[in-house]
Every structure is written in C-alpha cells, then in structure tokens.
Amino acid sequence: MHGEYKVPGGKLVVVDFDVTGGAITDFHLAGDFFLEPDDALLDIDRAIEGMPETSDVASIAAAVRRALPEGAQLLGFTPEAVGTAVRRALITAPGWREFSWDVVHEKPVSPRMNLALDEVLTMRVGDGRRNPTLRMWEWDESAVVIGSFQSVRNEVDPEGARRHGFDVVRRISGGGAMMMAANSIVTYSLYVPASLVAGLTFADSYAFLDDWVLQALRSLGIDAVYQPLNDITGPSGKIGGAAQKRLANGGVLHHATLSYDIDGEVMTEVLRIGREKLSDKGTVSAAKRVDPLRSQTGLPREQVIERFIDTFTNLYGATPGTISPDEYAEAEELVRTKFGTDAWLNRVP
C-alpha cells in the first residue's frame, strides 16, 4: 500500500507498506522532510511495524513519539502527519493529481446566485456529473453573507446594511459573516469529492484543501500560515477564513474569503460585532482598513486572483472550465425557492 500526505505549509510524507494478517508489515517512511538524527527514520519504521491495520492517527502518532530518541527533531512534518499518510493509504485515498480539475472564473452574478451555484456545483461533483472544480467568485452587488447557523439579528445591523447598500443572505456552510463589498475581497470555492479528504479529520481537511493558496500567497511575498480551525493568517494578522459543507451524495464544498481591502468603519456599522472582527484581524482602530492583500502585495485584486489561478493550475494540472447553461438555470431556481426567500434567510432569526 502507498500513501502520501502533504503537510499544509510543510513537507510531503510518503509511506509504503503491506498488510499481513491484519497488521502493518514491511513499513517504510520517506519524504522531503528533515529529520535528525538520520537513524530516527528506522526508529519510526520499527514503531509502526506490526501495528493493527485498524490503528487510528492518534495511536500511530503516539507510537512514533515513543520510538523517537531524545532530542530528535522533525522539521516539516509531525508524528500525526505520518499517521495521516498511513490512514490515507489504508483507505486508498486519491491525491490531487489523480483528478481532472476545472478552474472557473466567469461573469459577475449576485451574491445569492453565487451561493446557489455553490450548492449546485457541489452536488454535481458529488454525483460525478462534473469534474472537481475551483471557482473564483465575482459579484455585482454588495452583501453580508452569514453562516448557516448564525442569527440574523445578532450579526447584522439592518439600518447600517441598508444605508451602505448591503443585501443580507445566508449560505449553506457554517462559520462567520462575510462582508462582501465590490472589489474588496477575494473569494473562491472548491467543489471536491469526499474521497480527496478521506482519512483526514474534519479539522485537518481545512488546511489540506487550502494549502495551495498558502503557496500562492507566499509567491506574492506574504508569509501566510494556517491557523486552526479555519483561518489563513500572516505576520500582520488574519487574512481570511474558510468554511465547509459536506453533502450526503459525497460532494464537499470548501470556500474561503480573503480580505483585499475592506472599510473597517463601514464594517462596524453593518456588522453588530464588527469591532471584534477587526480586532481578530489585528486592526486596532475600527476606522482603519483591513487590506492585507492590497497592502502586502501592492497588486490589483485582478492580479492576485490571476496568481491564485496560476498556482492552482500549475500544482494540479487544472484546465479552464465553464458553468453550463443548465447549471446556471438550476442555480436560478434555487435562488427563487431557497436563497432568495425570507424562510431561508431567517431560519435562525
């Protein structure tokens, strides 16, 4: 059996082994990580040799830790990463390049339409009716997008939203509110089959699915890291956050919003907890702008998006894709029956 796991922000961990009589045998660890002393590699191999094939990530990691000599240094990987690679091998989880990827960056649509497209495209990937896809959002009006389980009245100041021209909509994933003003953020959605994240904990899947964007940000000069559960951060504070929704048919929606240039004062007038959100992003004054992508790259938003697309394409062999007319039609119907209704918006008052 063969398993691979790319540590988010770290190195590649590779395991090869057999299973004999329900136990792991002939185990070998490899990768582009750093390990001192050299012979600690054999200690790790011996620690996992003979473990039950049902061993979980935690028990494998514990065995590795017990076997490491005092003072051993693991750089670019962890004992948990070894356990994850083993589990992914045991369930034959595919890697990114085992799929044919589409990248979609199309015309602006309303925030409600973007949310409906998320549900439609996730469902179609889960059903096998379209390739796994990265979609960059564009939108033609401002909105506050609240998480699936958030209270409307707790999150949004309706007078402030009206005054500044923000619609209020609800998405199918959890997490916090996103203030989506025109050209102020970069938002993308990944629609992937559940097999891609098989063997990963729910928490680990967040960092796994966003590792490519960390590489894109670093190529732009931002020393970006992932901060559990779902935040992308840099030296100056939070850059963005991610959310997920897993459908019963095996489709997984993973989307993230990164701050390009947000008016902090408007945020405090539209969101009831705007000051706390700004503090979370490392901004002391509400009057300041939250602009890590603009200030740290010096690039127009369009060029940042272009770098994201180029990075994803080069890493995973993606090709340009489109949204079909029937997918748009299905999303429009979802706007009419779900995302544009008061019942959906106020399902958590």
Side-chain angles (χ1 to χ4, degrees):
M1 293 185 174
H2 178 84
E4 298 185 0
Y5 176 58
K6 170 66 169 59
V7 179
K11 298 297 184 178
L12 180 67
V13 176
V14 182
V15 297
D16 291 283
F17 59 91
D18 296 322
V19 173
T20 306
I24 296 172
T25 59
D26 197 25
F27 181 86
H28 297 284
L29 172 68
D32 60 356
F33 50 77
F34 299 92
L35 176 63
E36 294 291 344
D38 284 354
D39 55 11
L41 185 67
L42 296 178
D43 293 326
I44 295 174
D45 288 350
R46 285 192 289 263
I48 298 176
E49 185 79 18
M51 291 191 73
E53 65 174 323
T54 55
S55 300
D56 61 14
V57 171
S59 61
I60 295 170
V64 170
R65 283 196 170 88
R66 288 193 298 269
L68 288 171
E70 185 176 354
Q73 297 186 50
L74 286 66
L75 303 177
F77 78 117
T78 64
E80 285 75 16
V82 178
T84 298
V86 171
R87 290 309 312 166
R88 286 175 63 78
L90 286 166
I91 60 177
T92 62
W96 288 87
R97 280 193 167 268
E98 293 181 52
F99 297 98
S100 296
W101 290 92
D102 290 344
V103 177
V104 174
H105 187 204
E106 293 199 346
K107 63 184 180 182
V109 295
S110 71
R112 297 180 186 196
M113 188 67 170
N114 273 304
L115 299 177
L117 283 169
D118 269 357
E119 183 166 331
V120 169
L121 300 182
T122 304
M123 184 68 72
R124 294 203 174 203
V125 169
D127 289 344
R129 288 183 286 165
R130 72 172 290 129
N131 289 336
T133 301
L134 167 68
R135 181 173 72 93
M136 306 302 304
W137 287 32
E138 296 293 349
W139 57 98
D140 56 9
E141 59 187 63
S142 296
V144 174
V145 182
I146 63 173
S148 180
F149 311 108
Q150 288 189 298
S151 162
V152 177
R153 62 171 172 251
N154 288 345
E155 294 295 324
V156 183
D157 183 325
E159 182 180 344
R162 283 192 298 270
R163 184 168 65 253
H164 292 288
F166 282 81
D167 192 10
V168 182
V169 295
R170 184 186 295 277
R171 63 182 184 269
I172 62 173
S173 63
M178 305 185 304
M179 198 177 85
M180 297 179 55
N183 297 316
S184 69
I185 61 175
V186 174
T187 297
Y188 59 85
S189 294
L190 280 169
Y191 315 108
V192 307
S195 59
L196 179 62
V197 293
L200 300 177
T201 66
F202 189 80
D204 286 345
S205 71
Y206 274 81
F208 177 76
L209 291 175
D210 278 337
D211 186 59
W212 68 273
V213 85
L214 298 185
Q215 297 184 56
L217 290 169
R218 289 168 185 163
S219 76
L220 292 170
I222 299 177
D223 186 17
V225 297
Y226 215 84
Q227 181 175 316
L229 170 64
N230 62 334
D231 285 346
I232 298 169
T233 67
S236 300
K238 181 175 176 178
I239 297 171
Q244 281 187 19
K245 177 67 177 179
R246 302 190 179 203
L247 303 185
N249 73 343
V252 177
L253 165 64
H254 178 95
H255 48 195
T257 295
L258 287 72
S259 300
Y260 178 76
D261 181 13
I262 298 176
D263 189 319
E265 187 170 0
V266 171
M267 180 182 284
T268 63
E269 295 176 7
V270 172
L271 300 181
R272 292 195 185 279
I273 55 173
R275 291 182 185 275
E276 286 82 357
K277 288 183 179 292
L278 285 175
S279 176
D280 188 37
K281 292 178 172 62
T283 302
V284 176
S285 170
K288 291 184 178 179
R289 304 187 76 89
V290 182
D291 64 347
L293 292 183
R294 187 186 69 161
S295 63
Q296 294 183 49
T297 67
L299 296 175
R301 176 178 173 274
E302 294 75 15
Q303 289 187 29
V304 173
I305 291 174
E306 183 179 344
R307 179 62 61 86
F308 281 18
I309 292 173
D310 288 346
T311 299
F312 189 90
T313 298
N314 291 333
L315 284 172
Y316 307 132
T319 57
T322 60
I323 300 172
S324 67
D326 65 306
E327 288 170 334
Y328 274 121
E330 187 176 343
E332 287 170 355
E333 180 64 11
L334 265 183
V335 171
R336 186 185 71 82
T337 60
K338 180 176 181 178
F339 291 100
T341 66
D342 287 339
W344 171 253
L345 175 63
N346 294 299
R347 75 185 194 97
V348 182

